[in-house]
Amino acid sequence: MLARDADRLNGIVREVAHTHAFPVDVTNIAALEATIDAVEERLGPPDVVVHNAVGGSFGGFLQIDPEVLARNFDVNVMALLHLARRVAPGMISRGSGTIIATGNTSALRGKPAFAGFAPTKAAQRILAEAIARELGPQGVHVAYLVIDAVIDVPWTRERFPDRPDHFFINPAHIAGEILHLVKQPRSAWSFNAEVRPYREAW
Amino acid sequence: MLARDADRLNGIVREVAHTHAFPVDVTNIAALEATIDAVEERLGPPDVVVHNAVGGSFGGFLQIDPEVLARNFDVNVMALLHLARRVAPGMISRGSGTIIATGNTSALRGKPAFAGFAPTKAAQRILAEAIARELGPQGVHVAYLVIDAVIDVPWTRERFPDRPDHFFINPAHIAGEILHLVKQPRSAWSFNAEVRPYREAW
Amino acid sequence: MLARDADRLNGIVREVAHTHAFPVDVTNIAALEATIDAVEERLGPPDVVVHNAVGGSFGGFLQIDPEVLARNFDVNVMALLHLARRVAPGMISRGSGTIIATGNTSALRGKPAFAGFAPTKAAQRILAEAIARELGPQGVHVAYLVIDAVIDVPWTRERFPDRPDHFFINPAHIAGEILHLVKQPRSAWSFNAEVRPYREAW
Amino acid sequence: MLARDADRLNGIVREVAHTHAFPVDVTNIAALEATIDAVEERLGPPDVVVHNAVGGSFGGFLQIDPEVLARNFDVNVMALLHLARRVAPGMISRGSGTIIATGNTSALRGKPAFAGFAPTKAAQRILAEAIARELGPQGVHVAYLVIDAVIDVPWTRERFPDRPDHFFINPAHIAGEILHLVKQPRSAWSFNAEVRPYREAW
């Protein structure tokens, strides 16, 4: 697991067996590359890479600080490019591996309040598609999972205190979907995938 | 299993345990409804319905017999509507159930040689989407699986004798994807799903 | 102008110069073909054909009469196929001509209340796309215009009596868009086109 | 006209009446804003702004310099954001104005050779959509024009010396489409628009 917050990562490591914390800001390319080196040294080359980092923000195009859009591009797109460039050569030489990026419906349409965010998810999806088409024939699976819901974690429960359980998507079920994508046999791979709670309007 | 060819169905019944043959032409609405009655009497109300019937055809809009398009609409769209109308009330009252329709990339774009076919797959997908949005909040899962490949069965091997194995999608892997959709927990359902072989260009 | 209602057509003929009334039910293929013969005899072969017929309906998939979906398919899809088959050969031999079909956002997504309608608009759009890709290189322009609004005509004003003017799309402006598509130079043709009022949410 | 190359701009000014040259690198935000000030001082507030700048590049995600993707994001997305933020308030207060961004099919799909480019066009389209939805109800028209062709200019003729005339899209016809979008009455605006030569495969 890569994330900026070492305390949070270490908390997960204590809770979940076989996890490892590698604190890093994925927009710091040199640090990101050094971290992947450290991961490989400790765990070997990765079979599965999930790009789940997300820089989000709310606000119309006149309200946001333009730097927010640039920052979200670094997190959502440039980090995916650097990750993929770093791990793809090994996956190609092994003829196997999976790279999954997660996004949301912002990747598909631009709503006014997501002006500082949606463009970067759209860019992330199209970058993943370009990578998928290049790596697929070489045996490396790339998929893009749209999570069309608010994820059920402590801070979203605080933010939406009046919502019923079925409003949220269970993070374990997102993980289950990712695991399914990882295990797909190569005669039947998905690129586009999506999950939403059964009561979600779409 | 519902299909027109009783011999073919019975062959599968002999090969695959726990399968049952119900020969019927799904464009014959009265026969279709009687068949579903017979299924329910023998097996109980269905938890999962897969609309995999396909009326296909090749040829530009000037070459085809227009009746082919009308016939494909009956198979691909009207049969789905009748099936869903017949099984949905029970699923709604039980608060569970899955309806899956399978299609291909014709559902997403119109290529000249598919003029007699693609419009009906697009219609099928949009009908499935309307049904999904209505049934989802009632606990019934509807999904549309795009199979972007030639399926590996004896008659496609005959038609494409020079193609390597990886050209084809394995029907067991399609079934695996359908089973995955059926088993998705309701906090994380997919409507759109897609599978293609790893070397397929798209 | 082709439509079922002779009185309405004749009313338009009295109001609008250079218009001609050809009453016909476009789902009656023999009558449709005879009508096109009559048009050609009177006016010569058509340079521009607009398929603006629309069979609409409201209601979820459990509420509608299934025959409504079949009927809408005849109006929205089969009639376009027959029209195109009838006029395309002449356009191909002249190396010019335009066929335009009009639709709405039902062509792009399935909402529950449009289950008896949306599938047929999706089919119409994909059929038009298949025809466009076949005829384009032969000098015949095919376009699909999505009209994302309620059209400002007497019966919609009655149905939405409380809506302000800007809720409606002006039919003259739709005609203007169609004329634009007809006049596009062949180095810069559109297939997909869309119009909506400036205050429409989308 | 804003562009980096003053000589090229001045050449156009000599050829085309009523044009004005404002050399600037649109990724230099301070310079861009000063340039818009200069434009407004000389010509008054702009009624129409066309974001036609394009940072392109070819190469798979493993071949490109990652900085190319970041640079293209600055040209194709950040510059649009800054332009729109600068001109929109005046357009809102006047209740009129048009902002048009031009793109290509890279905005819609990711092909391997466009990994350093397509993500930024997808981001540009989604940003334009978010802006369109915010400004439309305020009387300001935003559109995105996909130019699905190679533009007929001296350097593309050099690059594709063996292609016939009909391979290229005429820049005057692109300008004509932009003018059409600018002149659309507000009851019938387009956001998505597209043009391609009649023989283009798509």
Side-chain angles (χ1 to χ4, degrees), chain A residues 129 132-133 136-137 139 169-170 173 177 180 184-192 194-199 202, chain B residues 129 132-133 136-137 139 168-170 173 177 180 184-192 194-199 202:
Chain A
E129 194 176 298
R133 285 182 162 125
I169 192 167
N170 184 329
H173 297 161
E177 188 68 22
H180 168 69
Q184 283 181 321
R186 65 171 60 186
S187 116
W189 277 352
S190 308
F191 171 69
N192 285 299
E194 65 180 19
V195 283
R196 64 174 66 80
Y198 73 111
R199 300 188 65 160
W202 48 288
Chain B
E129 193 176 298
R133 286 183 162 125
F168 300 91
I169 192 166
N170 184 328
H173 296 162
E177 189 69 22
H180 167 70
Q184 282 181 322
R186 65 171 60 185
S187 115
W189 277 353
S190 307
F191 170 70
N192 285 300
E194 66 180 19
V195 283
R196 66 175 63 82
Y198 74 110
R199 298 189 66 159
W202 50 287

Side-chain angles (χ1 to χ4, degrees), chain D:
Chain D
M1 297 178 299
L2 280 61
R4 276 176 300 176
D5 186 335
D7 286 348
R8 202 176 132 218
L9 283 181
N10 289 322
I12 299 175
V13 167
R14 280 189 296 271
E15 276 183 46
V16 186
H18 309 302
T19 57
H20 301 267
F22 295 92
V24 66
D25 178 342
V26 297
T27 65
N28 179 336
I29 303 309
L32 176 61
E33 298 198 332
T35 301
I36 300 174
D37 287 343
V39 170
E40 296 207 334
E41 199 169 306
R42 190 147 148 208
L43 302 168
D47 293 320
V48 178
V49 172
V50 180
H51 179 246
N52 192 42
V54 60
S57 69
F58 293 87
F61 79 103
L62 289 167
Q63 283 76 48
I64 57 168
D65 176 352
E67 280 313 297
V68 163
L69 182 60
R71 165 88 189 165
N72 285 338
F73 187 73
D74 283 343
V75 174
N76 294 332
V77 186
M78 292 305 293
L80 172 60
L81 177 61
H82 283 288
L83 263 175
R85 285 169 61 92
R86 184 63 184 70
V87 302
M91 290 178 170
I92 291 170
S93 69
R94 294 189 300 276
S96 70
T98 308
I99 300 172
I100 294 175
T102 61
N104 50 44
T105 57
S106 290
L108 306 172
R109 60 175 169 262
K111 295 279 183 178
F114 298 90
F117 172 62
T120 68
K121 298 308 283 188
Q124 181 197 39
R125 191 177 85 85
I126 293 297
L127 174 60
E129 193 176 299
I131 297 173
R133 285 182 162 126
E134 182 163 341
L135 294 186
Q138 303 181 75
V140 179
H141 184 191
V142 180
Y144 192 79
L145 176 61
V146 168
I147 301 167
D148 184 11
V150 175
I151 301 175
D152 191 356
V153 285
W155 56 93
T156 58
R157 287 282 183 168
E158 270 171 42
R159 191 165 158 199
F160 301 98
D162 300 328
R163 299 290 189 147
D165 287 356
H166 62 67
F167 172 73
F168 300 91
I169 192 166
N170 184 328
H173 297 161
I174 299 173
E177 189 68 21
I178 289 174
L179 190 63
H180 168 71
L181 291 167
V182 169
K183 292 193 166 178
Q184 282 181 321
R186 65 171 59 186
S187 116
W189 278 353
S190 308
F191 170 69
N192 285 300
E194 65 181 20
V195 283
R196 65 175 62 82
Y198 74 111
R199 300 189 66 159
E200 180 77 15
W202 51 287

Side-chain angles (χ1 to χ4, degrees), chain A residues 7 24-25 28 72 90 96-97 121 124 128 135-136 198:
Chain A
D7 287 348
V24 65
D25 178 342
N28 180 336
N72 286 338
S96 70
K121 298 307 282 187
Q124 182 197 38
L135 294 187
Y198 73 111

